[in-house]
């Protein structure tokens, strides 16, 4: 059983607590001058996303969660699972819909995603920060209006709906920030 | 013309000014500045503090506090004294800890704990005034009162199990803690953040099990004549009405060494020269140690100890 000592704690480290994988967000050393030293740690549960605070006696060891991040190419979905491939060794993984969640709306074939594996099973799928997707449906463009004020909804080829400026027409490829879901700009072809 | 952009001054630049205020304060009170060794054949036996030592045989120990030298001086010379100096504690790193840090320590003959707390408050007011700031009047708590105020539990009489449950509620994860470790955890997480801001908060009469080098209160042997001072929730100073009884000091050293053994901590030689000084006779006195890096953080508004150090641990 691999463990980390509290003095190895730093943000990003993955721990196993009560059977769930956690990532350290913050680690603070707490010690009264004449007393017991503790590590006060803010953790995110990688399964539920919930954030909680735990305190460990300094010097104690905590079990390592077998969690790693890998860059993978999105292949396709069969309706139940999302299929990914590690381009470095062509190894394929099936991610359940729960791992992809709301991010499914940004996934287009060949998109390079960050896949968090726990015990070799995809736990979280993060889409690329920026994606370039085609508008398949939006109100007709308003000529001359380049102000960007107001805006209108546009449906993208993956099903995502984003607000775009009035002048952007259907069929255009646009760049979107997946973290905010916001339109960034048109992609010149 | 372009406006002149002011580069903010690093907080570390104010250290010399802070030390000037402190030296003026003690000169006016005829307390003598001393300089004592950083390396000693004896170490600090306290099981909660880890030391650095040299590779010599026998090793020399880097001091974790100058207190043993100060007490030997008090026993031999008998004058009020203070020192500004570096101390070293292995493994203590964080927003308020650096393994090498600066301490102000001073001793006053015939001072009671109350008188010394008043002097700490006066020093803090002088420092804040020097930096153009004001502290509100200090408040004084007894440990058990402030503990009850913010945890609802008595530090002196709550059953161990109740204290352990309270630790679990704050998110403690691990083997059940000892009574003192429970008190340390609950005080650090539940009491300290609640202490009043913008003023010195003194907490005195620590449980006797946390007496360290303080006398036990003759009126209530459950408590020790020890205090700590907090400003804006930050632990700043720790003081004692000093233990002068050589036999009791030897017993506490031996108990520390025993605890270190049980916990598998490296052995540390006790200070026999301090014990013989106590046998010769340490005058009645009170003494206090105050963290200067933290005080500098407070008056400059720095949020991390690294901000007041030119070369923090990682760059030293």
């Amino acid at each position: 059983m691999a463990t980390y000592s509290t003095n190895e704690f730093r943000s990003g480290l993955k721990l196993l607590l009560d059977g769930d994988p956690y990532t350290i967000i913050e680690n603070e050393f707490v010690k009264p001058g004449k007393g017991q030293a503790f590590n006060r740690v803010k953790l995110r549960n990688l399964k539920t996303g919930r954030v909680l605070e735990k305190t460990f006696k300094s010097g104690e060891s905590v079990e390592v969660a077998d969690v790693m991040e890998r860059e993978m190419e999105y292949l396709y979905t069969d309706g139940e699972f999302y299929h990914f491939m590690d381009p470095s060794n062509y190894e394929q993984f099936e991610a359940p819909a729960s791992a992809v969640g709301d991010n499914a709306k940004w996934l287009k074939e060949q998109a390079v995603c960050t896949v968090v594996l726990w015990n070799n099973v995809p736990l979280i799928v993060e889409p690329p920060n920026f994606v370039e997707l085609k508008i398949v449906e939006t109100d007709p463009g308003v000529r001359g209006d380049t102000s960007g004020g107001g805006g209108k909804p546009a449906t993208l080829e993956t099903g995502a709906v984003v607000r775009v400026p009035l002048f952007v027409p259907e069929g255009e490829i646009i760049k979107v920030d997946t973290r905010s879901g916001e339109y960034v700009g048109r992609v010149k072809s | 013309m372009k406006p002149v952009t002011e580069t903010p001054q690093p907080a570390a630049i104010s250290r010399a000014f802070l030390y000037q205020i402190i030296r003026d304060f003690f000169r006016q009170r005829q307390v003598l500045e001393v300089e004592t060794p950083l390396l000693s054949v004896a170490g600090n036996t306290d099981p909660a503090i880890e030391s650095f030592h040299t590779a010599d045989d026998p090793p020399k120990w880097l001091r974790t506090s100058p207190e043993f030298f100060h007490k030997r001086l008090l026993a031999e010379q008998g004058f009020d004294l203070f020192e500004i100096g570096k101390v070293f504690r292995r493994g203590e790193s964080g927003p308020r800890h650096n393994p090498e840090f600066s301490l102000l320590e001073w001793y006053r003959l015939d001072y009671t704990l109350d008188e010394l707390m008043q002097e700490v408050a006066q020093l803090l007011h002088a420092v804040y005034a020097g930096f153009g700031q004001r502290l509100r009047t200090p408040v004084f708590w007894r440990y058990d009162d402030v503990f009850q105020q913010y945890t609802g539990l008595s530090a002196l009489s709550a059953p161990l199990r109740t204290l352990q449950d309270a630790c679990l509620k704050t998110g403690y994860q691990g083997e059940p803690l000892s009574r003192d470790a429970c008190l340390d955890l609950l005080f650090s997480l539940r009491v300290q953040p609640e202490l009043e801001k913008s003023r010195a908060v003194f907490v005195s009469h620590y449980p006797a099990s946390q007496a360290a080098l303080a006398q036990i209160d003759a009126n209530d042997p459950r408590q020790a004549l020890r205090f700590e001072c907090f400003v804006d929730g930050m632990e700043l100073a720790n003081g004692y009405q000093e233990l002068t009884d050589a036999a009791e000091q030897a017993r506490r050293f031996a108990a520390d060494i025993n605890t270190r053994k049980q916990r598998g901590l490296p052995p540390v030689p006790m200070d026999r020269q301090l014990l013989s000084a106590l046998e010769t006779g340490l005058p009645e006195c009170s003494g206090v140690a105050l963290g200067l890096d933290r005080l500098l953080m407070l008056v400059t508004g720095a949020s991390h100890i690294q901000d007041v150090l030119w070369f923090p641990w990682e760059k030293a």
Side-chain angles (χ1 to χ4, degrees):
Chain A
M1 179 182 90
T3 59
Y4 289 119
S5 159
T6 56
N7 41 40
E8 297 173 274
F9 280 10
R10 58 191 151 72
S11 56
L13 216 66
K14 310 291 191 292
L15 306 176
L16 191 69
L17 289 177
D18 304 322
D20 273 2
Y22 286 83
T23 184
I24 295 181
I25 305 171
E26 259 176 54
N27 166 46
E28 192 178 350
F29 179 73
V30 177
K31 183 187 185 302
K34 293 281 172 186
Q36 176 67 49
F38 296 98
N39 285 66
R40 182 80 166 149
V41 187
K42 200 182 264 184
L43 302 146
R44 177 179 290 113
N45 183 319
L46 290 173
K47 275 164 71 181
T48 65
R50 244 185 72 208
V51 172
L52 50 82
E53 285 193 305
K54 288 278 181 195
T55 303
F56 300 91
K57 231 160 112 171
S58 297
E60 295 286 295
S61 292
V62 183
E63 200 175 337
V64 171
D66 178 16
V67 170
M68 58 177 155
E69 283 182 8
R70 276 159 78 173
E71 300 284 291
M72 292 194 204
E73 218 169 83
Y74 170 60
L75 300 175
Y76 64 95
T77 176
D78 57 20
E80 189 181 356
F81 288 100
Y82 291 78
H83 296 258
F84 291 86
M85 182 186 70
D86 183 338
S88 66
N89 57 8
Y90 307 108
E91 199 181 348
Q92 291 196 18
F93 293 88
E94 289 182 347
S98 63
V100 181
D102 201 30
N103 289 325
K105 68 181 181 194
W106 305 119
L107 294 184
K108 189 185 167 186
E109 287 88 42
Q110 292 173 0
V112 177
C113 299
T114 305
V115 178
V116 178
L117 295 171
W118 179 35
N119 298 330
N120 232 26
V121 177
L123 183 67
I124 301 169
V125 173
E126 296 279 4
N129 289 344
F130 297 100
V131 289
E132 293 179 0
L133 296 169
K134 191 173 177 179
I135 298 177
V136 293
E137 198 191 325
T138 191
D139 289 343
V142 180
R143 251 180 211 290
D145 184 331
T146 53
S147 66
K152 58 178 182 178
T155 307
L156 308 180
E157 55 185 311
T158 54
V161 178
V162 298
R163 282 199 82 75
V164 300
L166 293 172
F167 64 87
V168 181
E170 206 168 283
E172 191 93 9
I173 295 175
I174 61 164
K175 187 174 177 181
V176 181
D177 186 330
T178 60
R179 293 160 296 184
S180 60
E182 277 169 13
Y183 166 90
V184 177
R186 287 188 293 175
V187 180
K188 290 182 190 98
S189 47
Chain B
M1 236 175 68
K2 279 185 180 172
V4 182
T5 46
E6 269 187 49
T7 34
Q9 282 194 340
I13 221 158
S14 300
R15 187 178 294 267
F17 181 56
L18 170 65
Y19 289 7
Q20 194 57 54
I21 297 170
I22 293 168
R23 291 192 162 106
D24 286 346
F25 180 87
F26 286 114
R27 190 174 48 234
Q28 284 160 16
R29 290 164 185 246
Q30 295 176 316
V31 180
L32 186 73
E33 180 164 11
V34 297
E35 193 171 90
T36 62
L38 297 184
L39 287 166
S40 167
V41 288
N44 184 354
T45 56
D46 187 333
I49 296 177
E50 283 311 309
S51 307
F52 296 93
H53 59 75
T54 66
D56 302 298
D57 186 22
K60 286 256 185 178
W61 297 79
L62 271 167
R63 66 182 187 185
T64 62
S65 144
E67 62 194 309
F68 295 166
F69 286 113
H70 289 180
K71 287 181 190 170
R72 285 166 64 188
L73 261 181
L74 288 163
E76 286 165 22
Q77 306 291 336
F79 49 71
D80 292 327
L81 60 87
F82 80 97
E83 178 165 3
I84 290 173
K86 285 294 185 75
V87 296
F88 305 84
R89 297 184 186 179
R90 187 197 286 274
E92 301 191 7
S93 262
R96 295 173 175 188
H97 293 84
N98 197 62
E100 171 177 345
F101 63 103
S102 296
L103 211 57
L104 162 66
E105 180 136 352
W106 78 95
Y107 286 82
R108 294 295 235 147
L109 299 171
D110 296 321
Y111 264 41
T112 61
L113 203 65
D114 285 338
E115 288 170 317
L116 188 60
M117 287 194 280
Q118 292 294 347
E119 189 162 59
V120 172
Q122 287 155 7
L123 174 73
L124 292 178
H125 281 261
V127 167
Y128 272 71
F131 278 85
Q133 298 168 36
R134 239 187 105 245
L135 272 181
R136 293 190 284 149
T137 50
V139 289
F140 298 87
W141 282 98
R142 290 205 169 204
Y143 187 96
D144 195 35
D145 293 339
V146 78
F147 197 88
Q148 283 201 45
Q149 172 78 23
Y150 296 114
T151 67
L153 301 169
S154 166
L156 295 174
S157 58
L160 175 59
R161 196 49 208 277
T162 310
L163 294 170
Q164 288 171 336
D165 286 348
C167 289
L168 292 177
K169 280 198 197 111
T170 67
Y172 173 70
Q173 181 103 7
E175 295 293 308
L177 294 168
S178 70
R179 186 170 190 93
D180 279 320
C182 284
L183 296 182
D184 288 338
L185 179 80
L186 295 171
F187 195 93
S188 298
L189 299 185
R190 300 271 308 274
V191 179
Q192 226 173 298
E194 302 300 326
L195 297 175
E196 294 164 274
K197 307 286 186 282
S198 309
R199 65 186 358 153
V201 178
F202 289 88
V203 176
S204 68
H205 295 78
Y206 272 62
S209 58
Q210 305 199 354
L213 304 178
Q215 284 180 25
I216 298 298
D217 185 356
N219 300 318
D220 182 352
R222 296 176 307 164
Q223 305 180 105
L225 297 180
R226 171 184 167 198
F227 73 87
E228 291 225 352
C229 173
F230 300 85
V231 177
D232 293 344
M234 178 135 74
E235 182 191 26
L236 200 56
N238 176 51
Y240 310 127
Q241 193 157 323
E242 299 293 343
L243 184 64
T244 54
D245 180 341
E248 171 61 14
Q249 183 64 68
R251 270 195 295 278
R252 291 191 196 174
F253 277 158
D256 278 355
I257 286 168
N258 196 29
T259 307
R260 295 189 74 87
K261 210 172 180 177
Q262 281 170 8
R263 295 188 195 166
L265 297 170
V268 177
M270 68 169 87
D271 194 336
R272 296 189 184 280
Q273 295 179 98
L274 172 71
L275 290 178
S276 34
L278 293 182
E279 276 158 22
T280 316
L282 176 66
E284 283 297 321
C285 62
S286 291
V288 59
L290 185 152
L292 290 170
D293 309 285
R294 291 187 183 174
L295 180 54
L296 194 51
M297 286 171 70
L298 285 169
V299 291
T300 59
S303 58
H304 200 291
I305 196 165
Q306 289 187 352
D307 299 340
V308 300
L309 299 169
W310 291 118
F311 300 102
W313 193 242
E314 290 71 22
K315 291 183 185 164

